[in-house]
Amino acid sequence: MHWKTWDFLCEPKCRGGLGFRKLDIFNKALLAKQLWRIIQNPSSLVARVLKGRYFKHMDVMLSPLGSNPSFVWRSLIWSRSLLKEGLCWRIGDGKGIDVMRERWIPSKRSKLTPCELNVTVGAKVSSLIIDGSWNEQLIKNVCLPHLVQDIISAVGR
């Protein structure tokens, strides 16, 4: 006999549920955390083993699933989308960050669309920086107004 749905039981106690965790979401979060550890500590044994087998000549965030992947690798690839949602570039000099394809504005949850920036395809964030600080006049000229303040106040430029 089922008196309550699983979704109701997974609600926090303050909302009347029992506070159970949704195991698939919790599992994905833990796997994304492991993937973050691989990125942060590339010299660890697990990172070196996975790199040798699955992403020898590329970044772990760009590597394909490959042929005949292990259950571990398949699981890490499954969690990669969750990790990508939370990642944002630290600008630095901006030479390696594509303006249109990368997520580099902290307040922006997704990639920019061509109508939001009036820049050429393949332009780098470095084209918006002069002498280590933002070229505010250029940013005001090429960006829609709602993005200007977000870009100028971007963390970690």
Side-chain angles (χ1 to χ4, degrees), residues 18-105:
L18 294 179
F20 292 167
R21 295 187 180 185
K22 292 185 179 181
L23 294 180
D24 60 331
I25 294 171
F26 188 63
N27 186 37
K28 193 170 192 175
L30 291 176
L31 287 165
K33 186 175 182 178
Q34 290 294 28
L35 192 57
W36 177 248
R37 286 182 177 159
I38 290 169
I39 293 168
Q40 290 297 96
N41 191 4
S43 62
S44 69
L45 180 61
V46 69
R48 290 183 297 162
V49 168
L50 290 173
K51 183 171 182 68
R53 172 71 169 94
Y54 298 109
F55 56 101
K56 190 177 288 190
H57 302 292
M58 63 182 59
D59 183 35
V60 67
M61 296 302 287
L62 301 174
S63 60
L65 184 61
S67 60
N68 197 21
S70 68
F71 180 72
V72 170
W73 182 245
R74 192 183 323 261
S75 300
L76 290 172
I77 293 294
W78 174 67
S79 71
R80 189 166 57 185
S81 62
L82 180 64
L83 188 59
K84 281 182 181 180
E85 285 179 35
L87 292 179
C88 185
W89 280 94
R90 179 168 277 180
I91 303 299
D93 63 5
K95 291 180 180 174
I97 306 169
D98 189 294
V99 170
M100 300 303 287
R101 294 185 328 149
E102 305 287 348
R103 186 173 168 263
W104 59 278
I105 303 174

